Structure formats: structure tokens, C-alpha cells
Amino acid sequence: MAPRIIIERLECYGRCGVTEEERRTPQLIAIDVEMEAAVDAAGLSDRLDETIDYARVAERLVALSGSLTCRLLETLAEQLVGMLFAEFPVDRVQLWIRKLHAPLAMVAGSVGVRFERTRTAQQAGPSPAPFLTQQLGRLPKGRVLDVAAGRGRHALHLLSHGMEVEAIDRDSLALTALKEAAEERQLSGLTTRVLDLEEKPDHPPSLGRECYDAIVVFFYLHRPLFPVLIDALKPNGILLYETFSIENYFRHQHPRRWEFCLAQNELLRLTAPLRVLHYDEGEHDGGHGSGPCYTARLVAQKAGPELLR
């Protein structure tokens, strides 16, 4: 068995929260990390350079946590895990990150997320949501917009099928990682744009008019954005959308706020101008590797000349 290097309850401050107020003030967070690495020789040589320097690991975790501003702990955890694989010779990482003083009156303890990742899985990247692979044949092979793309698990899948993809996200580090992953896989056709869709909560920025053959949105919900998405679709363009339903909040308490979940049939109402090609609500595999979740899933088409006859 490979040696395990463990750091328990590393405390530092980070700017992480759904609301702007939460992100404005650093909050106390705790990080537990367990790393497996092929460092058997260190026990015989007694040399620090033949193992992982846990003091250096702690320094980097604290430095990176303090430099980032994220809405979700999941985003922060992804960045920390990515750094560990990039900078240290670890084969497997288990990480638990949590807010020690959660802004929730009913929670007496901490709230957080746990990640487990192998180097092989990290290099391969997370798989796309099954709904995207199932419905891929409905997407026209043209220009596709990936909204809230993050590190690009869906953008990379679309690029691998010969599509031209524009990925937008407010996280510049995630988009940089996406570009690097596309280059490593020799995938062409990617453009990225750093864009905060919620900078003005009730007035999202324009995404252009009739610019995209398809738009994909996964696990992101900002209700004022829907008219903008519809406006950005070309005639006959396809919107592919999946995100959490309110049932997931009640069953799994995720996302942390119910406002980020869709009510029953709400996705149909938000996309009423479009022609529905597929819609369902229920328990699905979201492709996150964390088990099934309750989502609403939609494929809808914008009217074109032939649909208006």
C-alpha cells in the first residue's frame, strides 16, 4: 500500500459564498487532506526530498485558498485538488473543505464538501453529463455556446465531436484550465470569454442576437438569463438545459439554497417561446461521480422559417 500523508484541520481564510456579502468578507475554513504517493524510499533514506513536504503542501493550500474568490465550495475544492496534482507527486487525493461558521442559523456545526480524485481521473477530466451524450445527435454541428462552462467538461466533449465552442464563465482560472486541456488533447475550435452573468442581477448582459446554433447549460440557474439565451439562438437553434430540481434540495439539501433549484415545470415556463423536443423531471445521473441527483432536463428549439409556416 502506498504511504498516506495526512493533514488534519488546516485552518485558513477564504472568500467563498453564494452572495456578494459572503464573498466580500473572508471566512474561516478548514481543510483536511489525505494524499497517497509512491514515496516508499523515503522511509529508508530519511530524506525530505524523497517524500512530500507536508509543510509546503499546507503553505500552498493556504495561499491558494486566500487568493481565490468563489461562489461555491465545490469550485474552491476543484482548484485545490488541481493544484495538488500539478505541484506534488501524488497519485490520489481525498479532500474535505468546510466553512467553520456557516451563515445558516439552523446549522450548529460546519458545512462543506468532500472530494476524492486519482491522478488518472484528473488527467482524463470529468465526464460530461449523460444527458449531453444522449442528446448530442440533436445538436447541429455549428457554433455552440457553453454557459457557465467552468473547467469545460461539456465544452471538451463538444469539441471532440467537431463543434465550434464558445465557453463563458466568470472564473478566469477555470477557463484557462479549459484552454490548456483543449490544447493537450489537440482539440480546435474553442474560444473563451470571462463574463459575469450576474454582475447586474436583474439585467444580464447580451449574448448577441441569433449567434449560436446551439446553447448548452448544465447545473446553472439564473432566471433573468432565459430571454437572453433565447435571443442568442439562431432560428432552428437548440437549447439543451439541465439543472437541479426542488426535489433535490428537499432530499439532499443541495444546492444550499432552494432558490437555485427549479420548481416543478418551471423550466417549461421559462422556455415557453421554444418548441419542446424533450422534457423530463426526476432522478438522473449528473455525471459528477457523486451519485444520482434530481434534475429537470430540456431540449427545445427556436422557431425557424419552416416552423412558422
Side-chain angles (χ1 to χ4, degrees):
M1 178 183 292
R4 296 185 179 184
I5 297 169
I6 300 169
I7 299 174
E8 291 186 349
R9 199 177 170 101
L10 175 65
E11 294 187 7
C12 57
Y13 285 88
R15 298 177 183 271
C16 188
V18 172
T19 66
E20 184 178 347
E21 183 179 359
E22 276 190 279
R23 297 191 298 273
R24 189 181 301 121
T25 305
Q27 299 179 59
L28 186 62
I29 61 176
I31 302 170
D32 291 68
V33 62
E34 181 175 310
M35 298 164 288
E36 289 185 10
V39 292
D40 294 333
L44 300 175
S45 68
D46 200 28
R47 292 178 48 155
L48 181 60
D49 60 0
E50 291 186 356
T51 185
I52 295 173
D53 183 351
Y54 56 76
R56 178 60 180 160
V57 171
E59 289 172 1
R60 291 294 295 125
L61 289 170
V62 171
L64 186 55
S65 298
S67 68
L68 298 175
T69 301
C70 308
R71 279 188 168 84
L72 301 177
L73 280 172
E74 288 89 335
T75 304
L76 179 55
E78 283 281 9
Q79 296 291 336
L80 296 178
V81 169
M83 178 275 294
L84 292 173
F85 282 116
E87 299 184 16
F88 299 94
V90 297
D91 298 321
R92 179 186 296 271
V93 171
Q94 292 180 321
L95 184 139
W96 180 27
I97 182 170
R98 59 204 186 278
K99 295 180 182 180
L100 294 178
H101 305 294
L104 298 171
M106 70 288 291
V107 176
S110 63
V111 295
V113 295
R114 295 182 189 268
F115 268 62
E116 181 173 355
R117 191 76 50 80
T118 63
R119 180 174 291 276
T120 301
Q122 182 76 8
Q123 291 172 340
S127 59
F131 189 53
L132 176 62
T133 60
Q134 295 163 10
Q135 301 293 332
L136 191 66
R138 280 184 154 143
L139 299 185
K141 291 209 172 189
R143 190 180 182 205
V144 183
L145 177 67
D146 185 0
V147 175
R151 298 173 70 91
R153 63 179 179 136
H154 302 112
L156 292 169
H157 187 71
L158 294 166
L159 290 169
S160 71
H161 283 80
M163 298 183 185
E164 178 186 347
V165 180
E166 180 178 356
I168 61 173
D169 199 283
R170 67 183 297 273
D171 187 342
S172 61
L173 293 176
L175 292 179
T176 297
L178 167 57
K179 288 189 286 188
E180 292 173 351
E183 290 172 2
E184 288 174 3
R185 302 184 195 188
Q186 298 182 330
L187 298 173
S188 61
L190 173 69
T191 58
T192 63
R193 179 161 44 128
V194 178
L195 184 63
D196 187 349
L197 296 169
E198 301 177 39
E199 185 175 7
K200 298 179 180 178
D202 296 325
H203 301 284
S206 172
L207 299 174
R209 181 172 177 78
E210 298 185 354
C211 298
Y212 301 100
D213 297 285
I215 297 175
V216 298
V217 188
F218 282 89
F219 301 100
Y220 174 74
L221 178 61
H222 182 48
R223 291 171 176 85
L225 187 63
F226 279 87
V228 175
L229 296 176
I230 294 170
D231 197 44
L233 276 175
K234 293 180 180 179
N236 296 320
I238 296 292
L239 174 66
L240 189 69
Y241 205 111
E242 180 178 18
T243 198
F244 297 109
S245 66
I246 193 66
E247 191 168 2
N248 203 71
Y249 175 80
F250 290 128
R251 288 176 179 262
H252 302 304
Q253 291 74 54
H254 182 81
R256 290 186 295 277
R257 293 172 58 182
W258 65 266
E259 297 97 314
F260 297 106
C261 297
L262 289 162
Q264 292 181 354
N265 292 325
E266 184 181 10
L267 188 53
L268 291 173
R269 296 192 293 271
L270 291 169
T271 57
L274 304 179
R275 174 194 176 199
V276 176
L277 304 179
H278 172 92
Y279 181 76
D280 71 276
E281 297 179 15
E283 189 176 31
H284 306 115
D285 180 0
H288 285 105
S290 56
C293 54
Y294 290 85
T295 66
R297 311 191 301 186
L298 170 89
V299 184
Q301 185 176 34
K302 188 173 183 176
E306 65 275 16
L307 294 178
L308 295 174
R309 290 177 191 156

